[in-house]
Amino acid sequence: MTARSYILPDPETQPAFYADVPPKRFLAWVIDGVLIGILCVLILPFTAFTGIFFFPFLFLVVGFIYRVLTLAGGSATWGMRMVGIEFRAQTGDRFDLGAAILHTLGYSISIAMPLLQVISIILMLASRRKQGLTDHFMGSVAINRAARF
């Protein structure tokens, strides 16, 4: 661990960090989906509207880039920021570019395979730290962020 690193909050002694995280993650996912959809619609004219024919692929690519950039830039997507949660790496640090790419790749694989997504949701609802499947592999957590003034 580096000098600025800290241990992740313990769910037993600091439960407020994990309070209501699963429903907040779901709401953030919906918000992010809407934002990605808007971005895709804004991109369509730049594809001479041929993007309509491969819109799901466009949505996937734009979503991947959106998630990586927002996670690397603030350890939270814009949807997560709106609902007051953020990711922390196993060390307690915010996500860097590498962690953002790995987490987004894991998320993308989970979304592509419904069984993995179901397992991830069950883990978020049942695990002590409310971690999804990718979070378990990376040791990351989604927590309520500290208030910012």
Side-chain angles (χ1 to χ4, degrees), residues 113-140:
M113 300 178 174
L115 180 60
L116 294 180
Q117 188 59 24
V118 169
I119 291 168
S120 190
I121 292 167
I122 290 169
L123 287 171
M124 282 183 225
L125 295 172
S127 63
R128 291 179 57 230
R129 286 196 158 102
K130 312 301 182 198
Q131 295 167 290
L133 191 57
T134 301
D135 299 320
H136 277 278
F137 280 112
M138 291 181 59
S140 59

Side-chain angles (χ1 to χ4, degrees), residues 18-19 22 32-33 35 56 58 60 64 69 84 94 101 112 121 125 146:
Y18 302 98
D32 290 331
L35 292 173
L58 179 66
L60 177 73
F64 193 93
L69 293 178
R94 292 171 167 251
I101 291 170
I121 292 167
L125 295 172

Side-chain angles (χ1 to χ4, degrees), residues 3-37:
R4 62 181 170 75
S5 298
Y6 63 93
I7 297 173
L8 292 173
D10 184 283
E12 302 300 321
T13 60
Q14 299 171 303
F17 280 101
Y18 302 98
D20 300 321
V21 167
K24 287 181 178 182
R25 283 181 82 160
F26 176 72
L27 183 56
W29 179 78
V30 171
I31 293 168
D32 290 331
V34 170
L35 292 173
I36 293 165

Side-chain angles (χ1 to χ4, degrees), residues 13-78:
T13 60
Q14 299 171 303
F17 280 101
Y18 302 98
D20 300 321
V21 167
K24 287 181 178 182
R25 283 181 82 160
F26 176 72
L27 183 56
W29 179 78
V30 171
I31 293 168
D32 290 331
V34 170
L35 292 173
I36 293 165
I38 290 169
L39 289 172
C40 288
V41 169
L42 292 174
I43 290 170
L44 278 179
F46 298 101
T47 69
F49 294 97
T50 59
I52 291 170
F53 298 108
F54 56 90
F55 197 80
F57 180 73
L58 179 66
F59 194 92
L60 177 73
V61 171
V62 170
F64 193 93
I65 294 167
Y66 165 86
R67 281 183 172 78
V68 168
L69 293 178
T70 56
L71 289 176
S75 211
T77 63
W78 290 343

